[in-house]
Amino acid sequence: MSNGRVKIQARYAVITIMIAFFAFAISYKLFSTTIVHADDWNRKALEELQTTDTILPERGDILAADGSILATNLSFYTVRIDFRSERFQEQAYRLAIDSIADSLALHFPRRDRAGWRAYLEEPLKTDPKRRPRAWRLIRGLSYTDLQLLKTFPFLKIKNPNKNGLTVESTMRRSNPYGDMARRSVGGVGQTRECRQIHGISGLEMALDSLLYGQPGLSKKIPLTKNIVNWTDVPATPGFTLRTTIDINMQDIVENELNRVLDSCSADWGCAILMEVATGDIKAISNLERDKNGRGYIEALNYSVVGFEPGSVVKPISMMIALEDGLVNNLEEVLPIGKSWAYAGGRPITDSHYNGSLRVREVIEQSSNIGMARIITRGYDKNPKAFVERLRSIGFLDPMGTGIAGERVPYFNPNPGRVDLSRICYGYASQIPPIYTLSIYNAIANDGRYVRPRLVSGMLSENFDSVIPVTYIRDRVCSEETARKMRYMLKQVVWGDHGTGRRLRSEKVALAGKTGTCYSVDPATRQYNTGRKRLAFCGFFPADNPKYSCMVLTFYPKRNMFGAASTSGQVMRNIALKMYSRGMLDNSSDYAEGATGTKRGTLYGSADKGKIAAVRKAAGMREELHPAPPEAMPRGTVPSVKGLGVREAVKALEDAGYNVSVSGTGYARGTTPAQGTPLVRGSKVTIHLAV
């Protein structure tokens, strides 16, 4: 008995000593913390309380012109299940697996019923003590989807301890219209410089400083039971930006571009539609072939990438020539021929033969030789002055359209004479399509050089701003020059020998210019005549321009291989679709076969004074086209006076005569003379003169 008491007392002694030891340790730690190291702990507490955290601002929305949302912030949810929650009802879960799988397969067909059942059973196969505490059931749900999910069997249990349901919320940038104008709107993400979410492409990147807003600051403060974050400087949300994009026009442009690209199996295409008076970009589309073979998808924004433009640059050169007085008479006849050797360079050629052309026909028939002859007569001794002339009209200025990645045109700053002769008709330079379109838009706008733009206003909680229309230059040319250029561009489509004749439509008259440019083969670094960039740039309606448009198509491989049949057809289809929907100040009762706008003249009846002034200043005849040849009796030499050599030869050959030509210029008579009786097979000589 005494031995047992001794043992018990020994145990009590050990326990007492341990308690005393721990009490001493606690007392020592308390003394050390509050007395010896008090300053250190106070300093650490102060540092913690002085720590500030960044409060990320809410990113602003991007709106279409009518207020429709193109990009916004939406909450998306991830649903998880804690299989080790305190009161998790495992038996109820097992009984509901089939019903849950049915519901998930019906509303979220990422898996079929069997797939969902196997997925739901997977966590139950492990040891109950090792089952996941945050098993992901489904992610990427919208708020509506989340509420639907909470109505499913077992998941509708209100107590999260019983079904283990937890929900995580994340903010994500969303584009309600999907891929529509996606490259122009752009995307967001983390950058190398900052792990915060910023714009990485398109408008999101170009206007990130406005959309992102101003971060706020929070600091920690001590409360009775905890230290909590306290907002010191609230975050300022980013501006909501109103763009110039018209959803209906964007839909038309994308569909028509996709349709033609698919028909000709091109590698990629780009289309830009702009309002003439304001420079508002109403639609912009960039499509390229999907490498997975599923049609066309949104691509790199080619509208701001520099390319050799081809013949679409000729109207810009002609406009400068008219302004600088290099040509004063649109009836002046230029010698053309098969080729023209200039400054020791490779001879310049045209795609088709002309012995001669009037100045006003150079654009219509897209003559490289004619354009080079005109420009070199003024800038032959100082080629650099031509580039400086382009700079003087603002053509080399940054536009600030709001499109990320925008580049300015590139020209050799010290071009030689050969460079000059190539630049003027579309080679030896790199010009983004948006820049080419801007000059055509200025021509349609009576010479006023409006700045293309994608943003028209900014909104915030207490702020609503409308961004005014601005101009790169007040004008690039006089009104008279602009009218002459509109005439020449209209003749590309409506002239008898225009390169865009196939684009005529009685519903909407187009004016514009075709352009074909060979691209450099990446393998050989040489021009490949099979790899073409085909362009059409212009405006419509031709007589009262409301919209300008440029389309670029690269490397078609079937069905259509010309600039008019590819890019030009896209623009024609866009114009007709807009006409059919009443977007051109017309009635929207369009139907096939209905009477539409007939081919009009360049000027209305109220502009007769302007017509006379323009013709007089240009030295043009009263009628821009020669009068129809005088009709002659059958069996006599027909009249060909005033016709070009090609038309005159055709008329005489159609009459059955053997034809020879003398001189250069236009037909002034024949030997034998018109009206002379002559049997078929006889020789007739055409006399040409300037």
Side-chain angles (χ1 to χ4, degrees), residues 219-453:
K219 63 182 180 182
K220 296 183 182 299
I221 61 171
L223 297 180
T224 304
K225 295 183 178 180
N226 202 356
I227 294 178
V228 299
N229 286 325
W230 180 269
T231 300
D232 197 21
V233 179
T236 303
F239 286 102
T240 291
L241 300 182
R242 185 188 298 110
T243 72
T244 59
I245 295 293
D246 184 292
I247 293 297
N248 294 319
M249 294 181 189
Q250 181 71 34
D251 181 61
I252 291 172
V253 169
E254 289 194 6
N255 286 334
E256 296 309 322
L257 178 62
N258 188 90
R259 185 175 303 168
V260 170
L261 291 180
D262 188 61
S263 297
C264 66
S265 191
D267 278 6
W268 56 260
C270 167
I272 316 164
L273 180 69
M274 189 159 70
E275 190 173 58
V276 168
T278 63
D280 287 353
I281 298 172
K282 309 305 291 184
I284 183 168
S285 181
N286 299 273
L287 300 177
E288 68 182 4
R289 182 177 296 282
D290 188 349
K291 294 179 181 178
N292 297 321
R294 295 183 296 229
Y296 289 85
I297 59 175
E298 272 288 330
L300 170 74
N301 203 329
Y302 293 106
S303 65
V304 292
V305 177
F307 301 101
E308 284 188 313
S311 293
V312 289
V313 87
K314 288 173 184 170
I316 303 176
S317 299
M318 181 65 81
M319 179 189 74
I320 290 175
L322 290 171
E323 282 292 287
D324 291 356
L326 305 186
V327 286
N328 295 308
N329 181 2
L330 298 190
E331 298 293 332
E332 177 189 347
V333 177
L334 303 171
I336 303 298
K338 293 182 178 180
S339 64
W340 182 51
Y342 172 74
R346 187 173 60 186
I348 301 170
T349 60
D350 285 345
S351 60
H352 52 273
Y353 175 80
N354 278 297
S356 58
L357 287 173
R358 293 169 180 160
V359 168
R360 60 181 171 79
E361 294 172 320
V362 168
I363 300 298
E364 176 186 343
Q365 301 194 38
S366 195
S367 173
N368 297 337
I369 298 172
M371 199 69 256
R373 282 188 176 277
I374 290 172
I375 292 299
T376 55
R377 68 169 58 167
Y379 292 96
D380 175 76
K381 295 181 180 179
N382 186 9
K384 182 179 179 180
F386 184 69
V387 176
E388 292 305 313
R389 185 69 174 87
L390 291 168
R391 189 185 307 279
S392 71
I393 64 174
F395 190 60
L396 307 186
D397 291 359
M399 282 190 174
T401 58
I403 304 175
E406 178 188 294
R407 303 175 191 174
V408 298
Y410 172 78
F411 296 87
N412 183 343
N414 292 293
R417 296 171 68 210
V418 174
D419 289 335
L420 171 67
S421 67
R422 271 49 173 178
I423 288 172
C424 69
Y425 63 81
Y427 283 85
S429 59
Q430 291 187 341
I431 303 175
I434 189 71
Y435 276 81
T436 303
L437 177 61
S438 70
I439 295 293
Y440 280 70
N441 194 83
I443 291 170
N445 199 25
D446 278 336
R448 300 207 69 192
Y449 197 7
V450 67
R451 185 183 303 278
R453 63 176 187 171

Side-chain angles (χ1 to χ4, degrees), residues 45 70 168 180 217 282 302 326 368 465 486 489 499 646:
L70 296 177
E168 297 174 0
M180 181 176 287
L217 296 175
K282 309 305 291 184
Y302 293 106
L326 305 186
N368 297 337
S465 170
R486 288 201 296 273
L489 289 169
T499 56
R646 184 165 52 186

Side-chain angles (χ1 to χ4, degrees), residues 11-26:
R11 290 174 184 172
Y12 277 128
V14 171
I15 293 172
T16 301
I17 291 171
M18 291 178 65
I19 291 174
F21 175 78
F22 282 114
F24 175 78
I26 292 171

Side-chain angles (χ1 to χ4, degrees), residues 145-224:
D145 290 339
L146 176 63
Q147 299 309 309
L148 175 64
L149 186 77
K150 289 182 176 180
T151 65
F152 292 177
F154 183 75
L155 304 180
K156 64 184 178 182
I157 297 174
K158 299 295 184 182
N159 190 338
N161 276 332
K162 294 182 179 181
N163 61 12
L165 208 65
T166 61
V167 179
E168 297 174 0
S169 173
T170 56
M171 293 295 292
R172 189 188 305 170
R173 199 68 167 166
S174 177
N175 302 96
Y177 283 94
D179 285 340
M180 181 176 287
R182 185 172 64 86
R183 285 287 178 177
S184 299
V185 173
V188 299
Q190 292 180 347
T191 65
R192 292 181 179 179
E193 296 77 17
C194 180
R195 295 186 61 82
Q196 297 173 6
I197 301 301
H198 288 274
I200 56 176
S201 64
L203 278 173
E204 297 274 22
M205 177 180 175
L207 302 172
D208 184 70
S209 61
L210 296 173
L211 289 165
Y212 184 70
Q214 294 294 326
L217 296 175
S218 68
K219 63 182 180 182
K220 296 183 182 299
I221 61 171
L223 297 180
T224 304

